[in-house]
Amino acid sequence: MAQTYIKDIAAHDGQTITIKGWLHNRRSSGKLHFLIVRDGTGQVQGVMSKAAVGDETFRKADHLGQESSIIVSGAVRADARAPGGYELDVSGFEVVSEAVDYPITPKEHGVDYLMDRRHLWIRAPRQAAILRVRHEVINAVRDFFNSRDFILADTPIFTPAACEGTTTLFPVQYFEDTTAYLTQSGQLYNEATAMALGRVYAFGPTFRAEKSKTRRHLTEFWMVEPEMAYATIDDVMDLSEQLVSSVVARVLDKRMNELKQLERDTTKLESVTTPFPRISYDEAVTRLQGAGLPFEWGGDLGGTDETVLSSQFDRPVMVHRYPAAVKAFYMKPDAERPELALGVDVLAPEGYGEIIGGGERLADLDLMLARIKAHELPPEAFEWYLDLRRFGSVPHGGFGMGIERVVSWICGLEHLREAIPFPRMLYRMYP
Ligand code: 4AD
Ligand code: MG
């Protein structure tokens, strides 16, 4: 019989269907087995009675372990008390492969135990719900840019030089005598493709050899990076708030079930509409000091600073015009106050910190040469980048949005490690 997916079960009320999945849980009482079956799209309870299936089939389910793979047929019956609104009256039952002593039981396990078994942990309903939200976030991002005529232009992962500072580079042996670095950001290449195509985006994995062991840092994460020719920092802020609000709206629209399963307070997400507040770094400093933090003008915002600042708003807040000294070499200085860089960070509410970093790029050749020197970057690796300033340079800008940060915020997670199927962190590369 053709397979039906549990998510579509409502369309089959009264019909006999076949579900191919796994046994998530089983309860038995005398002549009845209650089988919680999952198939990757959802869960449904199958009620198997000895009278309906006969002794032999009934016995097959008697001691069957959690996560055994099974094929179950039965009639769909509406039941207001069932979590999904439907149950299955089981008439057919086949064990595809028996699982014995599945290591992740419904009882509590420690995080390290679960992370060592991440390949199995992702089968847990909560983890699967997070990964479905991640899928929705990624598709929302793609649809957002595609519907606005941005061109997807991929950027390389092997790169000859740093984009976001030399301290967080992963070196890779590139044949006999060359060192390549895993990309920290596609931005520099985006600047080239933007000069060719106008408005572009790159979307892929990026790498940071960050020795920080915080809940906000992965060593491998996914970033979407738009870049626009003839754009200013204000255009960058406009695009940022449009992207973030549209991604949140899409998840609220399509993944309410998952958010409920995650017990997310969705009213907090419903207020994420444009316009987002825009405050200067100067104002951020005043606010931090006003909140009693020992923050001094000139420093970068730390995790606590971001949390305190963002808690003052009910939606993401954009902080712009940071001291140039704490920002990357490629940022354009503010014409009125050259000690400031035309960069902007978007901080998510509820203590989730920075989800977007970007700004307007330095378009001037001589100043760029001076910056590369001052940051002690290898000039030969940047010759091609300087060409962008030699041949038809224009004002331009863009940003990078970290997918796991956004998923983590939207799902209300405590740690980024649950926002990606197989996280890579300072002390973890397995499984
Ligand atoms: O602020 P970042 O470092 O900016 C850039 O890389 C720019 N070149 C992007 C651009 O303008 N095209 O990183 C951008 C975003 C951060 O706001 C954060 O969401 C995410 O990438 N991010 C991380 N996510 C997880 N783990 C890490 N270690 C991250 N570092 C940055
Ligand atoms: Mg940043």
Side-chain angles (χ1 to χ4, degrees), residues 164 185 187 208 210 218 225 330 354-356 361 402:
E164 290 302 312
S185 155
Q187 181 199 316
R208 303 276 168 102
E210 280 185 284
L218 298 172
E225 299 183 87
Y330 51 70
E354 181 193 326
I355 50 172
I356 284 184
R361 323 302 188 189

Side-chain angles (χ1 to χ4, degrees), residues 32 78 119 145 172 200 230 269 297 340:
L32 288 178
H119 52 294
F145 288 114
V172 183
V200 298
Y230 288 102
L269 297 174
W297 197 99
L340 299 181

Side-chain angles (χ1 to χ4, degrees), residues 164 208 300 306 327 344-345 354 356-358 405:
E164 290 302 312
R208 303 276 168 102
D300 201 358
E306 289 178 357
K327 287 292 181 192
V344 55
D345 283 358
E354 181 193 326
I356 284 184
R405 295 258 180 108

Side-chain angles (χ1 to χ4, degrees), residues 194-330:
M195 299 306 138
L197 297 157
R199 289 182 305 162
V200 298
Y201 70 104
F203 199 166
T206 47
F207 306 86
R208 303 276 168 102
E210 280 185 284
K211 289 255 165 71
S212 45
K213 215 190 133 195
T214 81
R215 60 201 181 91
R216 291 178 184 170
H217 289 94
L218 298 172
T219 53
E220 174 177 333
F221 61 97
W222 283 68
M223 181 151 62
V224 60
E225 299 183 87
E227 191 72 26
M228 304 176 284
Y230 288 102
T232 64
I233 184 171
D234 291 326
D235 299 319
V236 171
M237 290 199 267
D238 291 347
L239 190 72
S240 303
E241 64 182 8
Q242 286 162 19
L243 173 65
V244 172
S245 58
S246 108
V247 167
V248 169
R250 165 86 165 255
V251 175
L252 282 172
D253 180 34
K254 301 263 187 180
R255 297 290 166 181
M256 202 44 129
N257 281 340
E258 281 80 0
L259 294 176
K260 281 208 185 104
Q261 200 178 343
L262 297 167
E263 296 175 344
R264 181 70 166 104
D265 178 357
T266 50
T267 58
K268 295 242 166 70
L269 297 174
E270 270 147 21
S271 54
V272 181
T273 52
T274 58
F276 295 172
R278 302 179 182 196
I279 64 171
S280 66
Y281 172 88
D282 287 350
E283 184 183 338
V285 174
T286 309
R287 283 173 175 270
L288 289 173
Q289 290 171 345
L293 288 179
F295 192 89
E296 284 187 43
W297 197 99
D300 201 358
L301 300 183
T304 313
D305 307 314
E306 289 178 357
T307 301
V308 169
L309 258 188
S310 66
S311 71
Q312 303 182 349
F313 304 92
D314 70 341
R315 64 196 70 197
V317 54
M318 304 200 250
V319 183
H320 57 82
R321 294 180 169 78
Y322 285 73
V326 302
K327 287 292 181 192
F329 75 97
Y330 51 70

